[in-house]
Amino acid sequence: MRVDPATQARLLELAELDGELDRVRHRRKNLPEQQVLDEREAALQAAKDSLVKTQMLASDLDREVKRQEREVESVRARADKDRKLMSSGAVSAKQLTDLEHEIGTLQRRQEALEDDLLELMEKREAVAIDERKSAEAIAAAERAVAEARAAAESALGDMAQTEQKCEADRAKLVDELPAELLELYDRVRQARGRGAGLLRARRCGACQLELDRVALSKVKAADPDAVVTCDNCGAILVRTAESGL
Ligand SMILES: [Zn+2]
């Protein structure tokens, strides 16, 4: 393959564009903004789950409070009935004693139930505070997610722009290069990551390895139109005035 040195030198532009495209694609895959977004979305989900649990606890307690209130009411109603009966004058002395005894028992039962009810209501109030806190935590987590999403979208947008520009430039450049040269470049690039590098200070610009004396003298002896490659990485070695040959 014979390609004039000026055309060979254009491979450096191509390698530059491919390098930029690789960097953009690598960055997209490992986007720190995306990681922050993922973490914040997980935190938001955890906050929502926590609220659901608290709400379930709240409705359990509401049910229990109602049940306890009904229980207190029924005990109170029974005691009232007994008192009415006592004051009706229509009961015997024996019945009166029994009623007094029962009212005492009911009174104690009502007090115990009311104590339990109070405890339940205190618990319910504490849960209400937890509910408010959970709702606030969710609102804060939602704001954090929105911020992280905007940052990720902006970073992705910038990358898409860079990628589009590089791809357009690459397409234009590829049109101007000989097919055979491109084929070699693409093959090496696919196999080794970089298709071409500038030879400078005896070093291959693709793999950064220094050429040994034998390799260097082979490159020196090669015709300027010849396409030479790096013995180490296979990249096309582009020779320019900078190469110091
Ligand atoms: Zn190399």
Side-chain angles (χ1 to χ4, degrees):
M1 191 192 325
R2 306 191 71 79
V3 181
D4 78 85
T7 305
Q8 286 193 39
R10 303 209 66 192
L11 287 177
L12 295 176
E13 292 170 46
L14 188 60
E16 182 80 21
L17 288 169
D18 282 335
E20 180 70 15
L21 282 167
D22 284 345
R23 278 191 293 278
V24 167
R25 285 162 190 162
H26 180 264
R27 183 162 145 66
R28 182 184 293 133
K29 256 192 250 162
N30 305 280
L31 195 66
E33 287 88 342
Q34 183 64 48
Q35 280 163 20
V36 171
L37 177 57
D38 291 347
E39 281 164 18
R40 290 186 181 180
E41 277 177 339
L44 173 59
Q45 192 52 53
K48 283 179 175 171
D49 291 347
S50 160
L51 178 61
V52 169
K53 268 187 209 154
T54 308
Q55 282 168 336
M56 276 161 65
L57 188 58
S59 76
D60 285 350
L61 282 169
D62 283 341
R63 247 194 320 276
E64 215 163 322
V65 165
K66 282 211 182 81
R67 194 184 53 76
Q68 197 77 0
E69 280 170 347
R70 277 196 302 272
E71 186 81 15
V72 170
E73 199 38 56
S74 104
V75 171
R76 193 195 339 249
R78 223 172 117 197
D80 282 351
K81 208 174 128 202
D82 285 355
R83 280 191 202 94
K84 263 185 204 140
L85 201 58
M86 273 176 75
S87 56
S88 71
V91 287
S92 68
K94 163 88 174 65
Q95 279 175 315
L96 211 58
T97 320
D98 288 349
L99 284 169
E100 258 172 11
H101 180 73
E102 191 178 81
I103 286 169
T105 307
L106 288 169
Q107 196 95 43
R108 284 191 296 280
R109 170 94 182 114
Q110 187 182 332
E111 277 163 15
L113 285 170
E114 278 170 348
D115 284 348
D116 289 350
L117 182 60
L118 200 65
E119 213 173 290
L120 278 174
M121 287 167 117
E122 277 167 3
K123 260 191 217 163
R124 180 63 184 89
E125 265 172 46
V127 171
I129 291 168
D130 286 348
E131 275 182 291
R132 277 199 298 279
K133 278 186 188 158
S134 276
E136 281 166 16
I138 287 172
E142 274 169 345
R143 283 194 297 274
V145 164
E147 272 172 29
R149 181 169 291 128
E153 276 168 5
S154 154
L156 285 170
D158 288 349
M159 274 183 278
Q161 242 178 357
T162 305
E163 193 178 25
Q164 266 175 15
K165 190 183 175 318
C166 285
E167 275 171 349
D169 290 351
R170 191 185 198 278
K172 220 189 299 171
L173 188 56
V174 158
D175 273 348
E176 296 164 10
L177 293 174
E180 203 187 352
L181 183 67
L182 267 176
E183 203 183 298
L184 173 61
Y185 171 90
D186 281 333
R187 200 167 58 231
V188 177
R189 177 173 141 71
Q190 262 157 33
R192 311 294 294 264
R194 299 194 62 166
L198 173 64
L199 177 65
R200 180 163 47 190
R202 302 204 305 227
R203 234 171 250 284
C204 162
C207 68
Q208 306 303 330
L209 226 73
E210 205 169 304
L211 273 70
D212 63 32
R213 205 181 293 273
V214 179
L216 201 66
S217 60
K218 240 174 32 188
V219 172
K220 267 185 186 165
D223 191 89
D225 280 357
V227 174
V228 295
T229 54
C230 168
D231 284 348
N232 177 56
C233 72
I236 297 166
L237 282 175
V238 175
R239 292 155 290 160
T240 69
E242 282 180 77
S243 298
L245 287 169

Short mmCIF file of all heavy atoms in Angstrom, two decimals, residues 204-209 230-235 237, ligand 1:
data_model
loop_
_atom_site.label_atom_id
_atom_site.label_comp_id
_atom_site.label_asym_id
_atom_site.label_seq_id
_atom_site.Cartn_x
_atom_site.Cartn_y
_atom_site.Cartn_z
N CYS A 204 6.19 5.37 19.64
CA CYS A 204 4.93 5.22 18.92
C CYS A 204 3.85 5.99 19.70
O CYS A 204 3.67 5.79 20.89
CB CYS A 204 4.55 3.74 18.85
SG CYS A 204 2.82 3.43 18.47
N GLY A 205 3.16 6.88 19.00
CA GLY A 205 2.14 7.70 19.65
C GLY A 205 0.92 6.90 20.09
O GLY A 205 0.13 7.38 20.91
N ALA A 206 0.76 5.70 19.55
CA ALA A 206 -0.41 4.89 19.93
C ALA A 206 -0.16 4.11 21.21
O ALA A 206 -0.98 4.13 22.12
CB ALA A 206 -0.78 3.94 18.79
N CYS A 207 0.98 3.41 21.29
CA CYS A 207 1.24 2.59 22.49
C CYS A 207 2.30 3.21 23.41
O CYS A 207 2.53 2.70 24.50
CB CYS A 207 1.64 1.17 22.09
SG CYS A 207 3.24 1.07 21.27
N GLN A 208 2.91 4.29 22.95
CA GLN A 208 3.92 5.03 23.74
C GLN A 208 5.22 4.25 23.95
O GLN A 208 6.06 4.67 24.74
CB GLN A 208 3.37 5.48 25.12
CG GLN A 208 2.09 6.29 25.05
CD GLN A 208 2.21 7.54 24.19
OE1 GLN A 208 3.29 8.13 24.06
NE2 GLN A 208 1.13 7.93 23.53
N LEU A 209 5.35 3.14 23.26
CA LEU A 209 6.58 2.37 23.43
C LEU A 209 7.67 2.90 22.50
O LEU A 209 7.40 3.33 21.38
CB LEU A 209 6.29 0.90 23.11
CG LEU A 209 6.85 -0.09 24.13
CD1 LEU A 209 6.04 -0.03 25.42
CD2 LEU A 209 6.86 -1.49 23.56
N CYS A 230 3.61 -0.08 13.76
CA CYS A 230 4.38 -0.30 14.98
C CYS A 230 4.47 -1.80 15.24
O CYS A 230 3.45 -2.50 15.21
CB CYS A 230 3.67 0.41 16.14
SG CYS A 230 4.30 -0.03 17.77
N ASP A 231 5.69 -2.29 15.49
CA ASP A 231 5.87 -3.72 15.74
C ASP A 231 5.15 -4.15 17.01
O ASP A 231 4.71 -5.28 17.14
CB ASP A 231 7.37 -4.05 15.91
CG ASP A 231 8.08 -4.06 14.55
OD1 ASP A 231 7.35 -4.04 13.52
OD2 ASP A 231 9.32 -4.06 14.54
N ASN A 232 5.04 -3.23 17.93
CA ASN A 232 4.44 -3.58 19.22
C ASN A 232 2.91 -3.59 19.18
O ASN A 232 2.30 -4.58 19.56
CB ASN A 232 4.91 -2.58 20.28
CG ASN A 232 4.25 -2.86 21.62
OD1 ASN A 232 4.34 -3.96 22.14
ND2 ASN A 232 3.55 -1.87 22.14
N CYS A 233 2.28 -2.49 18.70
CA CYS A 233 0.81 -2.42 18.80
C CYS A 233 0.12 -2.51 17.45
O CYS A 233 -1.12 -2.58 17.40
CB CYS A 233 0.39 -1.14 19.52
SG CYS A 233 0.63 0.35 18.57
N GLY A 234 0.87 -2.49 16.37
CA GLY A 234 0.26 -2.64 15.06
C GLY A 234 -0.29 -1.35 14.47
O GLY A 234 -0.77 -1.34 13.33
N ALA A 235 -0.25 -0.26 15.24
CA ALA A 235 -0.80 1.01 14.76
C ALA A 235 0.02 1.54 13.58
O ALA A 235 1.23 1.29 13.49
CB ALA A 235 -0.82 2.04 15.89
N LEU A 237 2.19 3.96 11.88
CA LEU A 237 3.10 4.98 12.40
C LEU A 237 3.16 6.12 11.40
O LEU A 237 3.64 5.97 10.29
CB LEU A 237 4.51 4.39 12.58
CG LEU A 237 4.72 3.52 13.82
CD1 LEU A 237 6.12 2.92 13.78
CD2 LEU A 237 4.55 4.35 15.09
ZN ZN B 1 2.74 1.18 19.01
#
